[in-house]
Structure formats: C-alpha cells, structure tokens
Amino acid sequence: MSINRGDVCDNGAVVVDCKKAWDESGYVILCLWINDTQSQPHTRTADPFVTWFARREDGEIRCFTGRYHDQLSDAVVDFTSRI
C-alpha cells in the first residue's frame, strides 16, 4: 500500500508530501504534526513540521528517523534533499 497526501500517520501527523525512499521499502514524508497522539495524554509538539522515513505496516503509517523543524521552508528544503 502506498502513502498519499492527506493520510494520517499512527502518531497523528498529517502527510503533506511524500516520495519513494532510497531502499524502495518505504517513503520519505513531509508532515504537519501538531498533536502527538501516541503520548498519553496527547501533547502538542514543539516543532510542527517533520520529515520522516515511513512505511505502511499493518495498515498504519509508521514513522522512523525524523528531522524536526519549526519553519515550513526549512522542512521543505530538508524533504527535497532527502532521497
């Protein structure tokens, strides 16, 4: 299964853009992440823009190896540079 714009990751982040990753087993995704839905209680994130390596596992989007940004422009540059 692919990952598409508008999909919601298992941590609550919303996919803004995505592309195939270097090893074809996953994707590099650019996300808007306001609330961490994996923490209890849910908490607001410090840096709302994140690029992650991600995979679909058991129907969920799992995120790994994130880079966190407080400016969208920085996150876009990071996303563009990641293969």
Side-chain angles (χ1 to χ4, degrees):
M1 260 175 109
S2 64
I3 296 175
N4 301 297
R5 291 179 183 147
D7 286 350
V8 179
C9 303
D10 66 340
N11 61 9
V14 177
V15 177
V16 175
D17 206 353
C18 60
K19 60 186 176 182
K20 282 299 250 177
W22 55 92
D23 68 358
E24 298 295 319
S25 71
Y27 295 83
V28 174
I29 59 175
L30 170 62
C31 291
L32 175 61
W33 192 34
I34 302 298
N35 292 305
D36 183 353
T37 59
Q38 290 179 321
S39 66
Q40 294 299 326
H42 295 179
T43 57
R44 186 167 176 80
T45 61
D47 298 310
F49 305 104
V50 186
T51 60
W52 274 301
F53 174 79
R55 287 189 185 109
R56 269 217 189 259
E57 297 177 353
D58 301 323
E60 299 286 326
I61 299 172
R62 309 271 187 227
C63 302
F64 309 92
T65 316
R67 296 181 186 164
Y68 304 84
H69 306 277
D70 59 347
Q71 298 294 318
L72 177 59
S73 58
D74 295 337
V76 169
V77 167
D78 182 37
F79 173 78
T80 303
S81 72
R82 292 182 80 172
I83 297 174

